[in-house]
Amino acid sequence: MDPAIFAVLARKRAGAPLDDDAIRRVVRGAAAAPDEPDHWGDAELAAFLTSSAIHGLGSAEMHALTEAMLHSGTTWRLAEAVPGVVDKHSTGGVGDKVSLVLSPLLAACGVPVVMLTGRGLGHTGGTADKLEAIPGLRLETDRAGCLATLAQSGLHMGIASDAIAPADKRLYALRDRIAAIDSLPLIVASILSKKLAAGAAAQVFDVKVGRGAFLESLDDARRLAQLLVDISTDLGCPATGRITNMDQPLGRWSGHASEVLESLACLRGDPDASAAASDLMEVTFVLCEAVAAQVGAAVTRAQLEDAIASGAAYQRFVDWAKARDADAAWLDAPEALPLAPIERVITAPRAGRVASIDTRRLGELLIALGGGRHLPGAPLDHGVAIAREARLGETVEKDQPLLRVHLRAADDARVAAFADCVTLVDVDAALPDLRPTIVETVEASA
Ligand code: URA
C-alpha cells in the first residue's frame, strides 16, 4: 500500500476535508492507465467514493474534483470557436424529450446549441437513445465533427467521446457498482466535468422533481440545482437552473421512436400534438428563454413561436439529422418511424379524477418491455411506447382512455401492471395541490 494514498483515504474516511492536491491525486489515479505510476486500483477509488458519499464534499472539494475531472481528458473549448454557443442539461425524466425540441428551436432563433449527451440507464431514457431511433444517425463525434455539424445546422446533440473526462467514466462505473450513484456532490462533479470539458458559453440545468424524477424531494432538487448552477458559474460557464415537474410523464409519449415523432410534430406546430404536450412546450420555451439570456440573446416567446410557425425550427432538426447521416428514406418521410405493432388501451374502470400517476413505475415498465436498459450497452427496442391519455387532476368518464401502450407481444400481465399506475378518486374528492410545470428558478448565489 502506497502511504500517500492511504493517508488520503484515511483522512476522507474520518470525515476531514481533502485539499486540492489530494483531490487531484485521486482524479489522476482514476484517469491513469494501469501501467502508469499514478494509477489507483478499484478498491482505493471505491473507498474514496464511499467516504465522499457518506460524509459529503465541501464546496472547495467539489470545485477541485470538478476541475480535476474536467481536465482529466481533452477539452473542446467550443465557445472559442462558436461564440455564444449554449448547452442544456436535464437530470432526466419519463418522456423528457426537451432537448429534441429545444436545440433546433434555439438554433432557428440564432442561438447555437451543443449538447453532449449520454445513453440512458435506469427508468429514464437518454437523449442519445431517443435519437438513435432515427435510422443511420451518427451521434459520436470529435471536436472537428461537432464544429462542422454546428456550422451546417446551428446545433449538435452528440455522444460525449471517451476522450472527454475519462476520470468520470471510471468513477461513474464504480459508483454504479458500490451504490454511490445518488450522492449529490459526486453527481455534480460528474455532470459538470463533461459539460465544462465541452466548453459552451453558458448553460441551463433542468432539474426534475417528483414521482418520475430521480430526485423525488424538492429539497434535494433545490440542493442539486444550486450546486450545479454555482459551480458551473464559478468555473467560468454562467448558468441558470429551473426545477420542473416530473410527477407525470412529460408530453404525451414516452418511448424512443414515439418521442422523436412527438418532438417533430411539436416542431411542426401540429396543434393536436402541441396541445397534448403543452407541459413539454412550456418547459422548452422557459429553458430556451433562460439560456439565451445567459449569453445576452433576448429570445422572446413570440420569436420561439414564430420559429415553429414558419417551419424554421423543424427544418433545423432535419438539417441536423442530414448532417449526421440520417438515412435518405427517413429524411424523405421523417414521420414514418414505426411503433411496436400491438396496441392496448387502458381505460378508466369508473368515472373519477386522476389523483396520481406512478411515473417511475411507468418508466420501469417501459424498460421491461425492452424500451430501456439496466446494463450499459444492452440493446433497446425503439418502438415500444406509452401514451399518457389523461393528465393529473383531469376528470374522466368510465371507459375513457388513460394510457395507450405499444408493445411487441400481447402480454396481459404487463398491460394490467400499466393499469395499476394510474389512481382514480371520486370526482368530488379533494386532491392535493398539483405542482406547477415550472416549479422554481435557481440563479447563481451572489
Ligand atoms: N449524469 C451524470 O453524468 N453523472 C451522474 O452522476 C448522474 C447523472
Side-chain angles (χ1 to χ4, degrees), residues 89-91 168 172 175 180-184 186-194 214:
H89 179 83
S90 159
T91 55
D168 176 62
Y172 192 61
R175 283 166 55 205
I181 283 290
D182 60 357
S183 150
L184 289 197
L186 296 178
I187 291 170
V188 169
S190 169
I191 292 173
L192 286 183
S193 61
K194 289 170 289 202
F214 108 92

Side-chain angles (χ1 to χ4, degrees), residues 357-368:
I357 299 179
D358 191 341
T359 308
R360 172 176 284 263
R361 179 93 182 108
L362 282 181
E364 287 164 357
L365 287 169
L366 198 58
I367 296 180

Side-chain angles (χ1 to χ4, degrees), residues 377-399:
L380 283 183
D381 184 336
H382 289 107
V384 296
I386 311 169
R388 174 203 71 178
E389 302 292 19
R391 295 180 195 227
L392 280 179
E394 192 173 325
T395 300
V396 293
E397 303 297 331
K398 182 174 184 308
D399 297 330

